[in-house]
Amino acid sequence: ELRQSIIKAEIEKYGGASQHIHPMIDHYSFAGLLQSSGLALPVVDYDRVNVRYSDLQNLYNDLKYMGEGNALIDRERSIRCFKGGIEAHYKSAFYDDAYMATFDIIYGIGWAPHDNQQKPARRGSGDISLTEVL
């Protein structure tokens, strides 16, 4: 919700958007990152949490205290320059007696590869043809 509001407000004011929020990852990509880092048998899950805020300053404070503020060093513009536009867009799209915010909390685990770990079956080693099953 906040990302969409920032983009709309910035396009409205400057005619384009720059990056203000660090790139996010979804739970599907997270399993791939675990594998590419050398871990085996990755397991990923997530919880989606919907939070209601009485004002956006509380949301900004929560993001700051979670360490989810802007981690980008070379950003072009400060959000302070168009904060009123952000709040207007946020209120028009995501306000219903409170400002709505959605957080996805992603959990992941992987194991260091080991010889005793389970391995996929050898290709063609199945007893039943997939074409027969389908």
Side-chain angles (χ1 to χ4, degrees), residues 90-133:
Y90 206 112
K91 188 165 191 165
S92 70
F94 306 108
Y95 185 86
D96 182 25
D97 295 330
Y99 292 96
M100 304 304 297
T102 305
F103 297 95
D104 285 343
I105 303 168
I106 302 174
Y107 311 93
I109 190 169
W111 289 265
H114 192 272
D115 293 336
N116 293 338
Q117 225 167 37
Q118 66 188 37
K119 295 182 180 36
R122 185 178 49 79
R123 187 175 179 89
S125 65
D127 296 334
I128 301 171
S129 171
L130 187 58
T131 54
E132 292 175 23
V133 174

Side-chain angles (χ1 to χ4, degrees), residues 37-59:
S37 67
L39 298 174
L41 305 172
V43 176
V44 177
D45 195 10
Y46 74 99
D47 288 322
R48 179 160 286 156
V49 180
N50 295 306
V51 182
R52 298 168 57 89
Y53 289 95
S54 59
D55 63 60
L56 285 179
Q57 189 59 48
N58 291 335
L59 169 60

Side-chain angles (χ1 to χ4, degrees), residues 3 19 23 42 54 64 70 73-74 79 89 107 111:
R3 180 187 298 252
Q19 194 164 357
S54 59
K64 177 182 173 184
N70 193 336
I73 294 172
D74 295 330
I79 288 179
H89 284 287
Y107 311 93
W111 289 265

